[in-house]
Amino acid sequence: MGFCISLGRVAVDPRLADFFYNSDSLFFSVIYQELFLKSGANFLTSLNGFGWTPALYFFPDLVQYFALRTIFLSMENGGWELTHLSYSAFQWIFLLSGILFLLQKFLKEKISYEKAGLVLAFGFSIGSILILFKQDLFVFLPGFHGGNLAVLCWAWGFFYQWERSNSKKNFALVVGAAFLFSLSDLLFVPYFLIPTLSLHIFDWLLRERSIHRFQKITYIYSPVFLGIVASRVVFQILRKNSFIFFPGTASPKKIGEAIATWNWENFLHSFSYLCRENWIYLVLIILFFGILKFLPKKEEGEDLNKPVYLFLILGILVPFIFLIYGFIFGLTGKSGIQGIDRYFGEILLGFLGIGVLCILRISDIPVLRFGLGVIFSLGTLFGIFSSYSKGLGLTYYPAKVACLDELTDRYHLRRGVASFWYVRPMRIFSKKGLEPDDYLYDLMLFYWQNNLNWFERENPPYTFAIVDGVDEKIVRKKLGEPISISYCDKIPIYIFANPEKSLEFVKENRGKIELWKFSTSRY
């Protein structure tokens, strides 16, 4: 309850709202709008020419979001917001349930309702803290790799279930999970494989270094690699289709060039930044690991060492490998990492997983179990009180969108030029049907997360430009001199009434699109 109430802070807290409803998180909102809500929408043709994101996010993101948006379709006001908030709650519950599902595979007895309640109370308390303190919000949203964290423990559970049973059913489950999750988000592959392979390799090195054991490990991983290979084949097929543009992942540098340009100062700066940004998680992971090693082992038949090390490796080793990979292949920029966010969410999951393990072990001691219950109850009450005292809300109508809507009434605006961070919030939350198109700073077309047909339309003409993130001189050159300049939150809004210049600009767009299609073999 406390967690759900904390979500009510989103609409009334500008910083929370700006993140929850930013252009990245509204990607599936725009797709749903194009497919089902726009006038003349056609499920079979509306996405023709649409540019996807590098990660496909098919499952759970797209499926989950579309299902929830359909449930709230009848709502005249607040449908988009309620979809986002319920998505956040569902994804967090899915993640916590996955941890319990995985741990149950290593326990002799079923996790009691009392222990499961403590685990969920812990998880919801952490969720409330993240929301109220505006930390790691990507884990709650679609299109931010949060879905990858939510499915990881489920995939591990299927894998260890297969390792124990070797049944055809579990083989198929692992193939399906590896295929679907790696197709949806390529980050799934290192998240899944680095911890599991590390444990199997260490086990092989320390216990039984034999060909037979190596063959058995290879056999265990066969459904995983089969699913991953199949996903890459399907992904290449999708990339070659001419209907929807799937851009794929960033191209890394050549290894020789990357090593030659290696900069230790930038690497150490990024490493220290990574540690500073996540020091609480890292300290708690090590602390919980120490507690688990200190506590006496339980009865035979329970093997909690494996999940302990899984989450330890996920939270500490995997992000370090990611950092090195980013530097070797030149994916972190010249100055190293500038921000730690969605690509290092495995640290958060590592903390949650090892924290749940610690709670399950500590709760065997009645006094400590009671103490945990009191602490989590107080935490829930604090979250509820903190949320209520600052105010709650549902509908989101940002000031910039409201201001543009007001200008729409005055100047009969409809279509305009804007940069990435303005476009999707305005398309979703405008009450006047504003349709700004997404351009880069020099007014070149931005292919990702946009429909090429938007740039090629002659009508309605371009009648406004939000001069923030686009070059003012180029805007004047392409669309003519504005008949009026207004301001929304100190941002200049140019108003135009020159359909001839708009048509010239659209024809120029068509030429760019034709050239792009030719260069990418998309005819």
Side-chain angles (χ1 to χ4, degrees), residues 402-471:
C403 180
L404 259 295
D405 279 349
E406 187 179 325
L407 292 176
T408 298
D409 289 333
R410 194 185 313 167
Y411 296 104
H412 307 290
L413 307 179
R414 177 68 184 279
R415 185 183 179 205
V417 168
S419 59
F420 177 81
W421 297 109
Y422 285 92
V423 171
R424 267 150 286 283
M426 288 194 169
R427 282 179 171 264
I428 295 301
F429 295 111
S430 170
K431 296 179 180 180
K432 305 296 182 181
L434 284 174
E435 294 182 351
D437 292 340
D438 187 356
Y439 285 89
L440 298 173
Y441 182 76
D442 58 359
L443 261 58
M444 290 296 290
L445 309 183
F446 188 62
Y447 299 105
W448 291 3
Q449 304 186 37
N450 289 301
N451 194 322
L452 296 180
N453 296 321
W454 296 346
F455 302 113
E456 297 183 284
R457 294 180 301 164
E458 294 183 6
N459 291 302
Y462 286 109
T463 52
F464 72 93
I466 303 172
V467 187
D468 182 25
V470 294
D471 190 298

Side-chain angles (χ1 to χ4, degrees), residues 323-334:
L323 189 63
I324 294 175
Y325 174 85
F327 266 84
I328 288 178
F329 291 101
L331 301 177
T332 56
K334 293 181 180 180

Side-chain angles (χ1 to χ4, degrees), residues 110-150:
K110 185 178 179 181
I111 297 174
S112 68
Y113 290 117
E114 189 177 8
K115 287 185 176 182
L118 282 175
V119 167
L120 292 177
F122 165 72
F124 289 137
S125 297
I126 297 299
S128 297
I129 290 170
L130 294 179
I131 291 169
L132 294 175
F133 288 90
K134 306 172 186 66
Q135 297 296 315
D136 295 330
L137 299 176
F138 62 87
V139 74
F140 303 110
L141 299 172
F144 274 87
H145 302 291
N148 186 44
L149 300 177

Side-chain angles (χ1 to χ4, degrees), residues 235-521:
F235 182 71
Q236 292 306 319
I237 294 171
L238 289 174
R239 286 198 68 190
K240 292 177 182 178
N241 89 91
S242 58
F243 190 73
I244 299 175
F245 169 52
F246 295 102
T249 54
S251 299
K253 286 182 180 180
K254 293 180 179 179
I255 186 70
E257 179 187 353
I259 292 174
T261 57
W262 179 276
N263 187 310
W264 276 106
E265 184 179 351
N266 287 341
F267 175 78
L268 293 174
H269 167 74
S270 293
F271 177 72
S272 64
Y273 189 80
L274 175 70
C275 294
R276 287 199 309 272
E277 288 291 298
N278 295 277
W279 72 269
I280 294 179
Y281 296 144
L282 296 172
V283 168
L284 288 174
I285 287 172
I286 295 169
L287 176 63
F288 289 155
F289 177 76
I291 292 173
L292 288 167
K293 293 287 105 179
F294 174 78
L295 290 173
K297 290 185 178 180
K298 290 198 68 180
E299 58 195 277
E300 293 184 8
E302 295 190 355
D303 181 19
L304 288 179
N305 271 333
K306 195 169 286 184
V308 168
Y309 285 106
L310 274 178
F311 288 118
L312 181 70
I313 293 170
L314 180 69
I316 293 181
L317 181 61
V318 172
F320 184 66
I321 292 175
F322 262 50
L323 189 63
I324 294 175
Y325 174 85
F327 266 84
I328 288 178
F329 291 101
L331 301 177
T332 56
K334 293 181 180 180
S335 301
I337 291 176
Q338 303 300 312
I340 303 297
D341 52 11
R342 67 191 84 172
Y343 302 108
F344 292 90
E346 67 274 20
I347 304 175
L348 170 61
L349 182 56
F351 154 70
L352 287 170
I354 207 164
V356 168
L357 277 162
C358 204
I359 289 169
L360 290 177
R361 292 293 303 276
I362 288 175
S363 61
D364 289 326
I365 304 170
V367 175
L368 295 181
R369 182 168 63 243
F370 176 78
L372 287 175
V374 171
I375 290 171
F376 296 147
S377 297
L378 291 174
T380 301
L381 290 174
F382 171 77
I384 293 172
F385 174 77
S386 179
S387 299
Y388 266 120
S389 63
K390 295 178 181 178
L392 303 174
L394 174 62
T395 56
Y396 174 64
Y397 192 39
K400 290 177 184 177
V401 176
C403 180
L404 259 295
D405 279 349
E406 187 179 325
L407 292 176
T408 298
D409 289 333
R410 194 185 313 167
Y411 296 104
H412 307 290
L413 307 179
R414 177 68 184 279
R415 185 183 179 205
V417 168
S419 59
F420 177 81
W421 297 109
Y422 285 92
V423 171
R424 267 150 286 283
M426 288 194 169
R427 282 179 171 264
I428 295 301
F429 295 111
S430 170
K431 296 179 180 180
K432 305 296 182 181
L434 284 174
E435 294 182 351
D437 292 340
D438 187 356
Y439 285 89
L440 298 173
Y441 182 76
D442 58 359
L443 261 58
M444 290 296 290
L445 309 183
F446 188 62
Y447 299 105
W448 291 3
Q449 304 186 37
N450 289 301
N451 194 322
L452 296 180
N453 296 321
W454 296 346
F455 302 113
E456 297 183 284
R457 294 180 301 164
E458 294 183 6
N459 291 302
Y462 286 109
T463 52
F464 72 93
I466 303 172
V467 187
D468 182 25
V470 294
D471 190 298
E472 176 189 4
K473 294 179 181 178
I474 298 178
V475 169
R476 290 176 182 269
K477 178 181 177 183
K478 300 295 184 184
L479 298 178
E481 290 298 316
I483 61 170
S484 175
I485 299 177
S486 300
Y487 291 87
C488 289
D489 198 17
K490 299 181 181 180
I491 302 299
I493 311 297
Y494 286 10
I495 312 298
F496 301 97
N498 194 334
E500 292 79 14
K501 293 289 287 185
S502 175
L503 182 58
E504 289 178 13
F505 186 45
V506 168
K507 289 180 179 178
E508 185 180 325
N509 285 344
R510 287 175 184 164
K512 294 174 183 176
I513 290 170
E514 292 298 310
L515 180 62
W516 175 78
K517 286 182 176 179
F518 177 78
S519 65
T520 55
S521 303

Side-chain angles (χ1 to χ4, degrees), residues 170-188:
N170 289 321
F171 181 91
L173 269 175
V174 175
V175 172
F179 169 78
L180 185 59
F181 301 156
S182 59
L183 177 66
S184 300
D185 190 346
L186 198 57
L187 285 182
F188 170 81

